[in-house]
Amino acid sequence: MSQKFMPFSLSMRILLIFIILCFLSKAAFANISLIRDSEIESFLQQLSDPLIKAANLQQRDVKIYIVNDDSINAFVAGGQNIFINTGLIQKFTTPDALIGVIAHEIGHIKAGHLVRASEGLNDAKKTLILSYLLGVGAIAAGSYDGGSALIMGGTHVASRMQQKYTRTQEEAADQYAIKFLDKINYPATGLINLLQYFASEFRPYADIIDEYALSHPISQKRIGLIKERSNSKSFSNIALNQILQPKMNVALAKLEGFTADVDFLLEKYQASDDNISKYILAISNHRRGNIKQAISLLNEIIESKNYFDLGFLYELRGQFLFEAGMSKESLISYSKAIKILSDDNSSLAKISFADAILASNILDQKLLELTLSYLLQAKYYEDFNPQLYLKLAKIYNKINKEGESYLALANYNLLLEEQDKAKKYASKAKEIYKANNNKSGLLRADDMLKISIEED
């Protein structure tokens, strides 16, 4: 019996739409986890800082988060928070498209497209909190326990977190993007190439998908307008890319090392002798549990003195040792990382140092005081991170600062939106401060109690 082509049934059309939406925009209730990694975050920050400055925004206010998701997407949520998928980072081998995307997302911020109902802001806040609450998660090789592991937590993110933009808003964000790119003398070709890629992927399904159901509608008009506004300009990406490309190569290597199949990576790179290949092999061996081989490869890269950010290598070596159960040994590597890295890049290493101190059950007063100073330094950059306050509470307890320990626990629970627990610990702190006639402590405890009541 001959077969005839049958048109899609309604259920098949719905299923196809769902699949494409998941590919392009991560539809409702997608399971998303955030990656915390100082090295990759530093690279993305270096991409973003000139654009943030060009937009006359405060660099500390614009936070960039890495989403462990292989779809090619980026979005803004909860104010000035930019989320970039690993799929987008890994899709292109040069910084051009990433710079274009970040310029576009900053354009949405600058244009005020995110002035929204409080529900959206609260959803974003809860997403970040839950992501940190779960601590260190896993990528492909299983679950790690180290404080500096590549993945930090996982959570469910509803699609309402992502702003669905109108064509006018998209074009306005594009105009801002071009303006910011012009200010840093960088071409818009990366943004054009990315949009053309999206358009080519979307084209076969244009008759069954409403493009404005996507987080970022794609249209030939948008691409044409960007070309029209940028083609006559003779900017060059060469100078900036020469600075950024080495960092991007390492970021791509790190993502590949932690996410791709271990057997595939070991076979692919076993005969290679360059530092990038050794980096991937070191991570692969770490995931396989071959700690000696992993450390040996990292040491070879360190000794070659041909590496852009030595501090990140020491941080990774600390992670390998810590996750292999060698907490005390990891302290030396974390210490070296902290000494080399700048304050804004060393926060996670400082929190990991505290993890190692606590895991080693070290009672040396000087080391505990040093750990406390590290955590307080990290607090400037990680004040939204509940895990930092949990480590603070434990360190304060070890050095017999009970009031400070309770106040840190109050902060920890407040960030987790556990208002009752936050009030309980703030009240305990207040009792201790009152007994000790600690006026500044009393004021801080009262402030925490007020915030807990307001947030309830």
Side-chain angles (χ1 to χ4, degrees):
M1 185 175 65
S2 63
Q3 293 182 338
K4 294 183 179 180
F5 174 77
M6 299 294 291
F8 284 130
S9 66
L10 178 60
S11 61
M12 282 296 293
R13 286 168 68 88
I14 292 172
L15 177 61
L16 182 58
I17 290 171
F18 176 77
I19 291 170
I20 301 304
L21 285 175
C22 284
F23 174 72
L24 290 176
S25 67
K26 296 310 282 183
F29 305 108
N31 197 17
I32 291 179
S33 55
L34 295 182
I35 288 177
R36 293 306 313 277
D37 181 82
S38 304
E39 192 165 30
I40 302 174
E41 289 176 6
S42 173
F43 162 65
L44 292 175
Q45 202 64 52
Q46 195 166 351
L47 287 178
S48 308
D49 282 348
L51 296 164
I52 295 169
K53 185 177 180 181
N56 293 319
L57 298 173
Q58 295 298 314
Q59 290 177 339
R60 191 166 184 266
D61 293 339
V62 181
K63 297 186 182 298
I64 297 177
Y65 298 95
I66 309 162
V67 181
N68 183 36
D69 189 320
D70 60 6
S71 65
I72 301 167
N73 196 19
F75 60 95
V76 178
Q80 298 185 29
N81 300 305
I82 300 175
F83 296 80
I84 301 175
N85 286 8
T86 53
L88 177 58
I89 298 171
Q90 293 177 290
K91 175 62 182 175
F92 301 94
T93 57
T94 61
D96 306 63
L98 279 175
I99 290 176
V101 167
I102 292 169
H104 177 86
E105 298 303 331
I106 292 173
H108 281 302
I109 294 171
K110 189 68 176 178
H113 295 159
L114 297 168
V115 179
R116 309 172 57 188
S118 60
E119 178 188 356
L121 184 61
N122 288 335
D123 284 340
K125 180 182 176 183
K126 289 175 183 176
T127 296
L128 296 176
I129 286 169
L130 289 172
S131 146
Y132 284 109
L133 169 64
L134 295 183
V136 181
I139 299 182
S143 178
Y144 297 129
D145 294 325
S148 62
L150 190 66
I151 288 289
M152 286 286 288
T155 184
H156 294 282
V157 181
S159 64
R160 65 178 176 271
M161 272 192 63
Q162 300 187 34
Q163 175 77 29
K164 303 300 188 294
Y165 298 110
T166 66
R167 179 177 280 109
T168 301
Q169 288 174 323
E170 284 298 300
E171 291 173 4
D174 289 338
Q175 288 182 47
Y176 272 114
I178 292 167
K179 179 181 178 181
F180 304 150
L181 291 168
D182 285 357
K183 281 190 175 182
I184 67 171
N185 298 318
Y186 199 89
T189 50
L191 180 58
I192 293 169
N193 291 338
L194 178 63
L195 291 177
Q196 287 176 331
Y197 166 79
F198 276 136
S200 67
E201 293 294 317
F202 177 80
R203 195 173 297 116
Y205 311 100
D207 62 330
I208 59 171
I209 296 178
D210 176 7
E211 65 169 308
Y212 286 91
L214 305 178
S215 60
H216 289 279
I218 307 113
S219 69
Q220 288 301 323
K221 181 184 177 184
R222 279 186 63 196
I223 297 171
L225 286 172
I226 296 172
K227 286 182 176 179
E228 180 184 331
R229 291 168 182 148
S230 60
N231 278 351
S232 61
K233 296 161 184 172
S234 57
F235 299 131
S236 172
N237 60 8
I238 295 174
L240 188 55
N241 280 11
Q242 283 178 339
I243 298 170
L244 296 172
Q245 192 64 58
K247 283 198 168 189
M248 183 164 190
N249 293 341
V250 173
L252 293 174
K254 196 168 214 177
L255 287 172
E256 183 180 4
F258 271 103
T259 59
D261 179 75
V262 174
D263 291 330
F264 168 77
L265 293 174
L266 291 173
E267 183 178 349
K268 179 180 178 181
Y269 293 102
Q270 64 179 345
S272 302
D273 196 43
D274 61 284
N275 278 347
I276 288 294
S277 298
K278 287 180 181 178
Y279 200 57
I280 295 171
L281 285 170
I283 295 168
S284 302
N285 276 282
H286 161 63
R287 289 171 61 195
R288 180 55 62 79
N290 301 330
I291 183 64
K292 288 185 178 180
Q293 183 65 11
I295 296 297
S296 176
L297 286 163
L298 279 186
N299 286 342
E300 286 181 27
I301 304 172
I302 291 170
E303 289 165 8
S304 72
K305 298 181 180 179
N306 184 24
Y307 191 79
F308 192 74
D309 285 305
L310 189 63
F312 294 128
L313 272 181
Y314 283 119
E315 183 180 15
L316 188 63
R317 190 172 73 178
Q319 176 188 332
F320 287 0
L321 291 166
F322 182 85
E323 291 172 3
M326 304 166 71
S327 302
K328 288 185 179 179
E329 292 85 346
S330 73
L331 289 169
I332 296 173
S333 290
Y334 283 134
S335 295
K336 288 183 177 181
I338 292 166
K339 287 178 182 178
I340 294 171
L341 294 171
S342 60
D343 285 345
D344 56 334
N345 286 331
S346 62
S347 294
L348 295 183
K350 289 168 180 172
I351 295 171
S352 296
F353 183 91
D355 271 325
I357 288 287
L358 291 166
S360 302
N361 199 28
I362 291 174
L363 299 177
D364 181 271
Q365 196 72 11
K366 287 185 178 179
L367 267 177
L368 291 173
E369 292 285 354
L370 176 64
T371 305
L372 176 61
S373 70
Y374 283 160
L375 289 174
L376 293 176
Q377 291 164 20
K379 184 172 172 285
Y380 180 80
Y381 302 96
E382 294 284 320
D383 60 338
F384 54 89
N385 184 343
Q387 291 300 318
L388 179 138
Y389 288 99
L390 186 59
K391 306 294 184 297
L392 272 173
K394 291 179 179 180
I395 295 296
Y396 276 129
N397 186 58
K398 282 184 175 290
I399 59 176
N400 299 315
K401 291 189 175 182
E402 196 175 10
E404 297 295 326
S405 180
Y406 281 133
L407 205 56
L409 282 174
N411 264 295
Y412 169 73
N413 282 283
L414 187 63
L415 285 169
L416 300 181
E417 298 197 340
E418 295 282 353
Q419 282 82 6
D420 289 340
K421 290 182 180 179
K423 282 185 281 187
K424 180 183 78 172
Y425 288 118
S427 297
K428 287 187 174 185
K430 185 175 179 178
E431 290 174 10
I432 292 169
Y433 291 138
K434 189 174 182 180
N436 296 333
N437 196 28
N438 186 331
K439 293 181 180 179
S440 64
L442 273 172
L443 287 172
R444 287 185 288 121
D446 279 333
D447 287 342
M448 180 59 64
L449 281 168
K450 288 177 184 177
I451 294 170
S452 300
I453 293 168
E454 290 171 1
E455 293 285 327
D456 202 348

